[in-house]
Amino acid sequence: MNGAGNDFVLIDNRKQSIRLSRPQVAALCDRHRGVGADGVILLVPPSSDKADWAWEFYNSDGSSGEMCGNGARCFARFVERQIGVNGDFSFQTEAGLIKAAFQGKCVTVSLTAPVGLRLNEQVPLPSGRQTIHSLNTGVPHAVLFVPDADQAMVRELGAEIRRHAHFAPKGTNVNFVQVLGPNHVRVRTFERGVEGETLACGTGVTASALISARIHKFVSPVQVQVQGGDQLEVSFRENNGDFAEVRLTGPAEFVFDGKMEI
């Protein structure tokens, strides 16, 4: 499946008969020798009655991931098709409880409350100091505003910031954000765990939109153009200086079904 170009291998593991090792996940995600994907998502039963379902999420390098916004939308559509869900439902992630709703071809996921907002931090890099903002929208994100996203040094600068001591010990995802107009931005993301740029990053889109609300006084909803060409929407409510009711809306599409020997 893919969500705005962010692609995933989804597996129905409700019987919990599948155990994937880190090398096996990486092999599935290998674009030359495997299926090719930014991550792998397994549908599993929830561990409590607070959620309808649960997932296990893995980055393309085989590491476990706490949350993925585009993956969450794909997972919701996958559950709808596999199980025949009629209406909204919730599922467990390492980041917390996520709620999913359907609007035609689009899926909306209600994300966990963002934490750790830090603005206008001066971070020293080999290329010079950069003004970086950061926010955890399920996973940590750094945000840099740039005049032209096409000219942003996503791979080089993204790799420097991703593992910078300022974001130790786990590192961060890095988003390069260009303001296109009122409540409208373009985002390119260097993703931790993929260790490169992806065509879209849902939690990065969300972090970029929320930080834009603080820095550029954007109001909900914010339209976000991603590298794959799609447009996502981030809506939110501000409550005493905090963000609440954060939602991410966008497409979630099936590409193909198949079997693979691992």
Side-chain angles (χ1 to χ4, degrees):
M1 297 185 68
N2 87 89
N6 210 184
D7 58 344
F8 309 94
V9 172
L10 290 102
I11 301 170
D12 188 343
N13 195 28
R14 283 176 288 170
K15 295 181 179 179
Q16 296 187 289
S17 59
I18 299 169
R19 295 288 184 271
L20 293 177
S21 66
R22 184 165 180 160
Q24 286 174 325
V25 171
L28 282 169
C29 293
D30 189 307
R31 297 191 183 277
H32 299 287
R33 299 179 183 274
V35 177
D38 293 324
V40 173
I41 306 173
L42 279 72
L43 165 61
V44 296
S47 60
S48 76
D49 58 5
K50 294 181 179 180
D52 299 304
W53 299 102
W55 81 2
E56 293 175 4
F57 181 87
Y58 300 95
N59 297 306
S60 63
D61 65 358
S63 62
S64 177
E66 302 99 313
M67 178 54 191
C68 175
N70 290 325
R73 294 199 320 279
C74 288
F75 180 78
R77 189 67 82 189
F78 181 72
V79 170
E80 180 191 44
R81 192 180 77 167
Q82 289 294 109
I83 300 171
V85 170
N86 185 19
D88 303 352
F89 68 92
S90 62
F91 60 96
Q92 290 174 331
T93 71
E94 285 189 26
L97 190 69
I98 303 297
K99 295 180 180 178
F102 303 95
Q103 303 171 10
K105 293 183 178 180
C106 288
V107 180
T108 296
V109 287
S110 298
L111 305 180
T112 54
V115 295
L117 176 64
R118 298 184 294 181
L119 301 176
N120 297 308
E121 294 188 307
Q122 300 301 307
V123 179
L125 298 171
S127 56
R129 288 186 175 272
Q130 289 281 349
T131 300
I132 299 178
H133 319 281
S134 54
L135 182 65
N136 190 310
T137 51
V139 290
H141 281 277
V143 170
L144 295 80
F145 287 98
V146 296
D148 185 348
D150 283 330
Q151 301 301 317
M153 310 236 342
V154 176
R155 178 167 294 278
E156 299 82 357
L157 199 55
E160 285 183 20
I161 297 170
R162 178 260 184 272
R163 297 186 183 278
H164 195 281
H166 187 80
F167 300 102
K170 292 185 176 181
T172 185
N173 300 277
V174 188
N175 304 274
F176 297 81
V177 183
Q178 176 186 354
V179 175
L180 300 178
N183 305 317
H184 191 194
V185 294
R186 181 182 171 198
V187 177
R188 295 179 65 185
T189 303
F190 183 99
E191 281 203 53
R192 182 188 68 167
V194 175
E195 304 310 328
E197 183 176 11
T198 56
L199 295 181
C201 174
T203 52
V205 159
T206 303
S208 299
L210 297 179
I211 288 174
S212 295
R214 283 284 187 270
I215 299 297
H216 296 290
K217 309 303 180 186
F218 283 7
V219 296
S220 179
V222 176
Q223 306 300 319
V224 183
Q225 181 183 331
V226 297
Q227 185 67 359
D230 290 279
Q231 186 159 288
L232 305 180
E233 181 180 277
V234 178
S235 63
F236 55 90
R237 182 173 61 84
E238 296 200 50
N239 182 23
N240 296 323
D242 294 325
F243 294 109
E245 298 177 17
V246 178
R247 296 182 175 89
L248 174 67
T249 300
E253 302 169 332
F254 290 94
V255 179
F256 68 88
D257 297 301
K259 295 181 179 179
M260 181 178 176
E261 296 291 335
I262 58 171

